[in-house]
Amino acid sequence: MAKKNIEWDKLGFGYMKTDKRFVSNFKDGKWDDGVMTGEDMITMSECAGVLQYSQSVFEGMKAYETVDGRTVIFRPDLNADRMYDSALRLEMPPFPKDKFVEAVCSVVKENIDWVPPYGSGATLYIRPYMFGSNPVIGVKPADEYQFRIFATPVGPYFKGGAKPIVIKVSDFDRAAPNGTGHIKAGLNYAMSLHAIVKAHEEGFSENMYLDAATRTKVEETGGANFIFITKDNKLVTPKSKSILPSITRRSIMTVAKDYLGMEVEEREVYFDEVKDFAECGLCGTAAVISPVGKINDHGKEIAFPSGMDEMGPTTKKLYDTLTGIQMGRIEAPEGWLKVIE
Ligand SMILES: *Cc1c(COP(=O)(O)O)cnc(C)c1O
């Protein structure tokens, strides 16, 4: 076993072709056993369902090397559950959950030399995805699907420490009340691209989306859930049927309760109360937590007391505890780390 010769700390968040990926096909009503392959190119019909009507779902998770040299994956069973739910919502045949976890582990094992070393700040990002692969021209679900998992090393999300970001309240909607906001589907991202490009042009890092029906409640950003810390140190996180159930956010809720002894509230959060919170953060696999310093609401600024220089103190504790668990420095709750043997 020899790690690849990569400048791990200089890696960005980009794709790099690694040695092996998993591929399984669904045909004649069933999934085949799947294979591990070196082939990274896909050949399919010009009329494939995914190319016409965007029938595709995906997942994202990370593998890490821990302080004691083990390679672990963070809670892949929850990604298996979520992809199962995503597939059902788009009328796709869900990939069996136990086989999902098994295949994720095999992909990490087969690319073990690509798992960045402990302390580099880099991680191995794992991307499972599934799409309709046979020709579909009349609007209906495909009959054949491909499920794939590749892995690619990604650099530390924050180079030189996590700096608070400035975000804006978006005038676009991310998800309809009874739509697809709660599943991890490519279509939710395609329609958010215009809004994020506009926000970036205006100098903001992310969009805060409000609920589409009333535009009074906080939902999420394009790819991360919100957490807020109250002035009396409670963790508050929005509850809504149209936000994606982030595994990072759910893990942070457990960390807050069981490791830091905090009170945790998952409830509707009105935009009007946001100005009263002490800290704000965005959570997702990529960054774990990005601290938010300011929210711009049509020119009116909400500046959190935690400021623009560093993470708020409670956000920092949550971040340090969760990353400590992921890297094996702090004991993990039962079942959180899947060890690659
Ligand atoms: C993936 C994703 C998240 C973050 O979920 P994690 O499981 O924590 O990575 C949040 N919001 C959206 C819209 C997402 O697609």
Side-chain angles (χ1 to χ4, degrees), residues 183-216:
I183 64 165
K184 216 167 171 73
L187 56 92
N188 290 332
Y189 280 79
M191 53 123 255
S192 75
L193 295 176
H194 180 63
I196 195 66
V197 168
K198 287 276 169 224
H200 287 166
E201 279 171 10
E202 294 165 20
F204 301 107
S205 299
E206 284 291 346
N207 282 304
M208 170 186 264
Y209 291 105
L210 303 179
D211 74 295
T214 70
R215 308 194 67 88
T216 58

mmCIF file of all heavy atoms in Angstrom, residues 183-216:
data_model
loop_
_atom_site.group_PDB
_atom_site.id
_atom_site.type_symbol
_atom_site.label_atom_id
_atom_site.label_comp_id
_atom_site.label_asym_id
_atom_site.label_seq_id
_atom_site.Cartn_x
_atom_site.Cartn_y
_atom_site.Cartn_z
ATOM 1 N N ILE A 183 -35.423 15.448 -1.681
ATOM 2 C CA ILE A 183 -34.631 14.339 -2.234
ATOM 3 C C ILE A 183 -33.378 14.894 -2.903
ATOM 4 O O ILE A 183 -33.331 16.062 -3.287
ATOM 5 C CB ILE A 183 -35.433 13.470 -3.237
ATOM 6 C CG1 ILE A 183 -35.829 14.289 -4.467
ATOM 7 C CG2 ILE A 183 -36.637 12.834 -2.540
ATOM 8 C CD1 ILE A 183 -36.285 13.424 -5.633
ATOM 9 N N LYS A 184 -32.379 14.022 -3.031
ATOM 10 C CA LYS A 184 -31.114 14.469 -3.614
ATOM 11 C C LYS A 184 -31.129 14.116 -5.095
ATOM 12 O O LYS A 184 -30.685 13.048 -5.501
ATOM 13 C CB LYS A 184 -29.948 13.806 -2.886
ATOM 14 C CG LYS A 184 -28.759 14.735 -2.754
ATOM 15 C CD LYS A 184 -27.729 14.232 -1.777
ATOM 16 C CE LYS A 184 -26.486 15.063 -1.828
ATOM 17 N NZ LYS A 184 -26.630 16.402 -1.228
ATOM 18 N N ALA A 185 -31.679 15.045 -5.877
ATOM 19 C CA ALA A 185 -31.832 14.824 -7.309
ATOM 20 C C ALA A 185 -31.100 15.929 -8.058
ATOM 21 O O ALA A 185 -31.125 17.087 -7.633
ATOM 22 C CB ALA A 185 -33.308 14.831 -7.687
ATOM 23 N N GLY A 186 -30.485 15.561 -9.170
ATOM 24 C CA GLY A 186 -29.771 16.536 -9.987
ATOM 25 C C GLY A 186 -30.661 17.690 -10.408
ATOM 26 O O GLY A 186 -30.202 18.826 -10.522
ATOM 27 N N LEU A 187 -31.952 17.408 -10.600
ATOM 28 C CA LEU A 187 -32.862 18.444 -11.079
ATOM 29 C C LEU A 187 -32.938 19.624 -10.106
ATOM 30 O O LEU A 187 -33.109 20.770 -10.523
ATOM 31 C CB LEU A 187 -34.253 17.856 -11.340
ATOM 32 C CG LEU A 187 -34.955 17.132 -10.193
ATOM 33 C CD1 LEU A 187 -35.833 18.067 -9.386
ATOM 34 C CD2 LEU A 187 -35.800 15.983 -10.741
ATOM 35 N N ASN A 188 -32.810 19.374 -8.811
ATOM 36 C CA ASN A 188 -32.841 20.470 -7.831
ATOM 37 C C ASN A 188 -31.635 21.386 -7.979
ATOM 38 O O ASN A 188 -31.682 22.556 -7.604
ATOM 39 C CB ASN A 188 -32.844 19.919 -6.395
ATOM 40 C CG ASN A 188 -34.154 19.244 -6.038
ATOM 41 O OD1 ASN A 188 -35.205 19.587 -6.574
ATOM 42 N ND2 ASN A 188 -34.091 18.273 -5.146
ATOM 43 N N TYR A 189 -30.552 20.826 -8.479
ATOM 44 C CA TYR A 189 -29.336 21.611 -8.656
ATOM 45 C C TYR A 189 -29.355 22.363 -9.987
ATOM 46 O O TYR A 189 -28.924 23.505 -10.061
ATOM 47 C CB TYR A 189 -28.111 20.700 -8.555
ATOM 48 C CG TYR A 189 -27.774 20.408 -7.106
ATOM 49 C CD1 TYR A 189 -28.478 19.471 -6.376
ATOM 50 C CD2 TYR A 189 -26.774 21.132 -6.459
ATOM 51 C CE1 TYR A 189 -28.199 19.229 -5.033
ATOM 52 C CE2 TYR A 189 -26.482 20.897 -5.127
ATOM 53 C CZ TYR A 189 -27.191 19.943 -4.420
ATOM 54 O OH TYR A 189 -26.907 19.721 -3.106
ATOM 55 N N ALA A 190 -29.870 21.711 -11.027
ATOM 56 C CA ALA A 190 -29.921 22.373 -12.339
ATOM 57 C C ALA A 190 -30.660 23.701 -12.219
ATOM 58 O O ALA A 190 -30.210 24.730 -12.715
ATOM 59 C CB ALA A 190 -30.610 21.460 -13.358
ATOM 60 N N MET A 191 -31.787 23.671 -11.514
ATOM 61 C CA MET A 191 -32.584 24.898 -11.448
ATOM 62 C C MET A 191 -32.055 25.913 -10.434
ATOM 63 O O MET A 191 -32.521 27.044 -10.409
ATOM 64 C CB MET A 191 -34.055 24.551 -11.213
ATOM 65 C CG MET A 191 -34.285 23.665 -10.033
ATOM 66 S SD MET A 191 -35.413 24.478 -8.937
ATOM 67 C CE MET A 191 -34.338 24.984 -7.667
ATOM 68 N N SER A 192 -31.046 25.515 -9.643
ATOM 69 C CA SER A 192 -30.474 26.486 -8.702
ATOM 70 C C SER A 192 -29.257 27.200 -9.285
ATOM 71 O O SER A 192 -28.746 28.150 -8.697
ATOM 72 C CB SER A 192 -30.081 25.776 -7.407
ATOM 73 O OG SER A 192 -28.887 25.023 -7.594
ATOM 74 N N LEU A 193 -28.790 26.738 -10.457
ATOM 75 C CA LEU A 193 -27.547 27.288 -11.014
ATOM 76 C C LEU A 193 -27.680 28.774 -11.369
ATOM 77 O O LEU A 193 -26.783 29.567 -11.088
ATOM 78 C CB LEU A 193 -27.118 26.481 -12.247
ATOM 79 C CG LEU A 193 -26.741 25.017 -11.957
ATOM 80 C CD1 LEU A 193 -26.438 24.280 -13.266
ATOM 81 C CD2 LEU A 193 -25.548 24.930 -11.011
ATOM 82 N N HIS A 194 -28.807 29.142 -11.956
ATOM 83 C CA HIS A 194 -29.012 30.543 -12.320
ATOM 84 C C HIS A 194 -28.950 31.430 -11.072
ATOM 85 O O HIS A 194 -28.265 32.459 -11.062
ATOM 86 C CB HIS A 194 -30.363 30.703 -13.028
ATOM 87 C CG HIS A 194 -30.667 32.104 -13.436
ATOM 88 N ND1 HIS A 194 -29.898 32.795 -14.348
ATOM 89 C CD2 HIS A 194 -31.640 32.959 -13.037
ATOM 90 C CE1 HIS A 194 -30.399 34.016 -14.500
ATOM 91 N NE2 HIS A 194 -31.455 34.137 -13.709
ATOM 92 N N ALA A 195 -29.623 30.984 -10.019
ATOM 93 C CA ALA A 195 -29.662 31.769 -8.774
ATOM 94 C C ALA A 195 -28.274 31.905 -8.142
ATOM 95 O O ALA A 195 -27.913 32.971 -7.638
ATOM 96 C CB ALA A 195 -30.636 31.124 -7.784
ATOM 97 N N ILE A 196 -27.477 30.833 -8.194
ATOM 98 C CA ILE A 196 -26.152 30.909 -7.550
ATOM 99 C C ILE A 196 -25.186 31.740 -8.398
ATOM 100 O O ILE A 196 -24.375 32.503 -7.861
ATOM 101 C CB ILE A 196 -25.581 29.504 -7.196
ATOM 102 C CG1 ILE A 196 -24.405 29.620 -6.218
ATOM 103 C CG2 ILE A 196 -25.136 28.728 -8.417
ATOM 104 C CD1 ILE A 196 -24.740 30.130 -4.858
ATOM 105 N N VAL A 197 -25.291 31.626 -9.728
ATOM 106 C CA VAL A 197 -24.424 32.444 -10.590
ATOM 107 C C VAL A 197 -24.719 33.920 -10.352
ATOM 108 O O VAL A 197 -23.817 34.754 -10.192
ATOM 109 C CB VAL A 197 -24.592 32.051 -12.079
ATOM 110 C CG1 VAL A 197 -23.936 33.079 -12.994
ATOM 111 C CG2 VAL A 197 -23.997 30.661 -12.326
ATOM 112 N N LYS A 198 -26.003 34.261 -10.266
ATOM 113 C CA LYS A 198 -26.416 35.657 -9.994
ATOM 114 C C LYS A 198 -25.883 36.117 -8.635
ATOM 115 O O LYS A 198 -25.359 37.219 -8.509
ATOM 116 C CB LYS A 198 -27.949 35.768 -9.992
ATOM 117 C CG LYS A 198 -28.550 35.667 -11.369
ATOM 118 C CD LYS A 198 -28.504 37.031 -12.051
ATOM 119 C CE LYS A 198 -28.854 36.893 -13.512
ATOM 120 N NZ LYS A 198 -27.983 37.646 -14.401
ATOM 121 N N ALA A 199 -26.041 35.271 -7.629
ATOM 122 C CA ALA A 199 -25.596 35.630 -6.277
ATOM 123 C C ALA A 199 -24.087 35.873 -6.262
ATOM 124 O O ALA A 199 -23.614 36.853 -5.683
ATOM 125 C CB ALA A 199 -25.985 34.541 -5.284
ATOM 126 N N HIS A 200 -23.351 34.999 -6.933
ATOM 127 C CA HIS A 200 -21.891 35.173 -7.000
ATOM 128 C C HIS A 200 -21.534 36.487 -7.699
ATOM 129 O O HIS A 200 -20.646 37.210 -7.249
ATOM 130 C CB HIS A 200 -21.236 33.992 -7.719
ATOM 131 C CG HIS A 200 -21.218 32.735 -6.887
ATOM 132 N ND1 HIS A 200 -20.944 31.492 -7.424
ATOM 133 C CD2 HIS A 200 -21.456 32.524 -5.571
ATOM 134 C CE1 HIS A 200 -21.003 30.580 -6.461
ATOM 135 N NE2 HIS A 200 -21.318 31.179 -5.331
ATOM 136 N N GLU A 201 -22.240 36.793 -8.789
ATOM 137 C CA GLU A 201 -21.990 38.062 -9.505
ATOM 138 C C GLU A 201 -22.195 39.260 -8.584
ATOM 139 O O GLU A 201 -21.532 40.282 -8.704
ATOM 140 C CB GLU A 201 -22.937 38.192 -10.707
ATOM 141 C CG GLU A 201 -22.481 37.422 -11.930
ATOM 142 C CD GLU A 201 -23.534 37.381 -13.032
ATOM 143 O OE1 GLU A 201 -24.563 38.118 -12.940
ATOM 144 O OE2 GLU A 201 -23.341 36.595 -13.982
ATOM 145 N N GLU A 202 -23.135 39.116 -7.666
ATOM 146 C CA GLU A 202 -23.428 40.222 -6.732
ATOM 147 C C GLU A 202 -22.507 40.200 -5.516
ATOM 148 O O GLU A 202 -22.644 41.022 -4.613
ATOM 149 C CB GLU A 202 -24.893 40.121 -6.268
ATOM 150 C CG GLU A 202 -25.910 40.344 -7.385
ATOM 151 C CD GLU A 202 -27.316 39.885 -6.999
ATOM 152 O OE1 GLU A 202 -27.597 39.757 -5.787
ATOM 153 O OE2 GLU A 202 -28.119 39.634 -7.904
ATOM 154 N N GLY A 203 -21.604 39.210 -5.481
ATOM 155 C CA GLY A 203 -20.623 39.177 -4.399
ATOM 156 C C GLY A 203 -21.026 38.353 -3.183
ATOM 157 O O GLY A 203 -20.402 38.454 -2.126
ATOM 158 N N PHE A 204 -22.071 37.531 -3.316
ATOM 159 C CA PHE A 204 -22.487 36.686 -2.193
ATOM 160 C C PHE A 204 -22.041 35.245 -2.409
ATOM 161 O O PHE A 204 -21.958 34.776 -3.540
ATOM 162 C CB PHE A 204 -24.014 36.743 -2.022
ATOM 163 C CG PHE A 204 -24.522 38.139 -1.779
ATOM 164 C CD1 PHE A 204 -25.213 38.824 -2.776
ATOM 165 C CD2 PHE A 204 -24.280 38.786 -0.575
ATOM 166 C CE1 PHE A 204 -25.655 40.130 -2.574
ATOM 167 C CE2 PHE A 204 -24.713 40.087 -0.354
ATOM 168 C CZ PHE A 204 -25.408 40.763 -1.358
ATOM 169 N N SER A 205 -21.787 34.549 -1.302
ATOM 170 C CA SER A 205 -21.295 33.172 -1.406
ATOM 171 C C SER A 205 -22.404 32.164 -1.638
ATOM 172 O O SER A 205 -22.196 31.131 -2.265
ATOM 173 C CB SER A 205 -20.558 32.776 -0.125
ATOM 174 O OG SER A 205 -19.461 33.616 0.068
ATOM 175 N N GLU A 206 -23.575 32.436 -1.071
ATOM 176 C CA GLU A 206 -24.673 31.471 -1.146
ATOM 177 C C GLU A 206 -26.008 32.204 -1.141
ATOM 178 O O GLU A 206 -26.084 33.378 -0.790
ATOM 179 C CB GLU A 206 -24.654 30.518 0.072
ATOM 180 C CG GLU A 206 -23.584 29.440 0.031
ATOM 181 C CD GLU A 206 -23.814 28.389 -1.033
ATOM 182 O OE1 GLU A 206 -24.936 28.316 -1.593
ATOM 183 O OE2 GLU A 206 -22.863 27.643 -1.328
ATOM 184 N N ASN A 207 -27.054 31.456 -1.468
ATOM 185 C CA ASN A 207 -28.429 31.948 -1.377
ATOM 186 C C ASN A 207 -29.126 31.352 -0.175
ATOM 187 O O ASN A 207 -29.042 30.135 0.042
ATOM 188 C CB ASN A 207 -29.219 31.516 -2.614
ATOM 189 C CG ASN A 207 -28.922 32.375 -3.818
ATOM 190 O OD1 ASN A 207 -29.066 33.589 -3.770
ATOM 191 N ND2 ASN A 207 -28.494 31.729 -4.898
ATOM 192 N N MET A 208 -29.842 32.173 0.583
ATOM 193 C CA MET A 208 -30.762 31.628 1.578
ATOM 194 C C MET A 208 -32.129 31.564 0.903
ATOM 195 O O MET A 208 -32.655 32.590 0.452
ATOM 196 C CB MET A 208 -30.846 32.537 2.815
ATOM 197 C CG MET A 208 -31.972 32.126 3.766
ATOM 198 S SD MET A 208 -32.209 33.269 5.151
ATOM 199 C CE MET A 208 -31.247 32.459 6.420
ATOM 200 N N TYR A 209 -32.652 30.357 0.790
ATOM 201 C CA TYR A 209 -33.990 30.209 0.208
ATOM 202 C C TYR A 209 -35.031 30.201 1.316
ATOM 203 O O TYR A 209 -34.842 29.560 2.356
ATOM 204 C CB TYR A 209 -34.076 28.900 -0.586
ATOM 205 C CG TYR A 209 -33.243 28.927 -1.840
ATOM 206 C CD1 TYR A 209 -32.032 28.240 -1.904
ATOM 207 C CD2 TYR A 209 -33.651 29.650 -2.956
ATOM 208 C CE1 TYR A 209 -31.249 28.268 -3.054
ATOM 209 C CE2 TYR A 209 -32.872 29.688 -4.104
ATOM 210 C CZ TYR A 209 -31.676 28.987 -4.151
ATOM 211 O OH TYR A 209 -30.913 29.025 -5.278
ATOM 212 N N LEU A 210 -36.126 30.912 1.053
ATOM 213 C CA LEU A 210 -37.263 30.901 1.986
ATOM 214 C C LEU A 210 -38.310 29.928 1.458
ATOM 215 O O LEU A 210 -38.225 29.487 0.302
ATOM 216 C CB LEU A 210 -37.846 32.307 2.110
ATOM 217 C CG LEU A 210 -36.851 33.383 2.559
ATOM 218 C CD1 LEU A 210 -37.543 34.754 2.617
ATOM 219 C CD2 LEU A 210 -36.227 33.050 3.919
ATOM 220 N N ASP A 211 -39.281 29.597 2.285
ATOM 221 C CA ASP A 211 -40.317 28.663 1.831
ATOM 222 C C ASP A 211 -41.087 29.305 0.675
ATOM 223 O O ASP A 211 -41.442 30.493 0.729
ATOM 224 C CB ASP A 211 -41.247 28.268 2.982
ATOM 225 C CG ASP A 211 -42.192 29.394 3.354
ATOM 226 O OD1 ASP A 211 -41.702 30.443 3.815
ATOM 227 O OD2 ASP A 211 -43.413 29.231 3.145
ATOM 228 N N ALA A 212 -41.332 28.526 -0.358
ATOM 229 C CA ALA A 212 -41.901 29.072 -1.589
ATOM 230 C C ALA A 212 -43.343 29.551 -1.389
ATOM 231 O O ALA A 212 -43.775 30.501 -2.047
ATOM 232 C CB ALA A 212 -41.839 28.019 -2.691
ATOM 233 N N ALA A 213 -44.081 28.944 -0.483
ATOM 234 C CA ALA A 213 -45.505 29.271 -0.330
ATOM 235 C C ALA A 213 -45.716 30.622 0.331
ATOM 236 O O ALA A 213 -46.523 31.421 -0.128
ATOM 237 C CB ALA A 213 -46.210 28.176 0.467
ATOM 238 N N THR A 214 -44.986 30.903 1.411
ATOM 239 C CA THR A 214 -45.253 32.145 2.156
ATOM 240 C C THR A 214 -44.052 33.100 2.180
ATOM 241 O O THR A 214 -44.196 34.258 2.570
ATOM 242 C CB THR A 214 -45.639 31.837 3.622
ATOM 243 O OG1 THR A 214 -44.468 31.357 4.325
ATOM 244 C CG2 THR A 214 -46.730 30.765 3.685
ATOM 245 N N ARG A 215 -42.909 32.624 1.804
ATOM 246 C CA ARG A 215 -41.662 33.412 1.863
ATOM 247 C C ARG A 215 -41.455 34.074 3.221
ATOM 248 O O ARG A 215 -40.992 35.213 3.303
ATOM 249 C CB ARG A 215 -41.636 34.447 0.735
ATOM 250 C CG ARG A 215 -41.893 33.843 -0.644
ATOM 251 C CD ARG A 215 -41.539 34.804 -1.749
ATOM 252 N NE ARG A 215 -40.110 35.040 -1.781
ATOM 253 C CZ ARG A 215 -39.239 34.295 -2.459
ATOM 254 N NH1 ARG A 215 -39.640 33.304 -3.177
ATOM 255 N NH2 ARG A 215 -37.957 34.570 -2.408
ATOM 256 N N THR A 216 -41.800 33.367 4.267
ATOM 257 C CA THR A 216 -41.589 33.890 5.627
ATOM 258 C C THR A 216 -40.670 32.991 6.442
ATOM 259 O O THR A 216 -40.194 33.387 7.496
ATOM 260 C CB THR A 216 -42.926 34.009 6.400
ATOM 261 O OG1 THR A 216 -43.544 32.708 6.451
ATOM 262 C CG2 THR A 216 -43.876 35.000 5.742
#
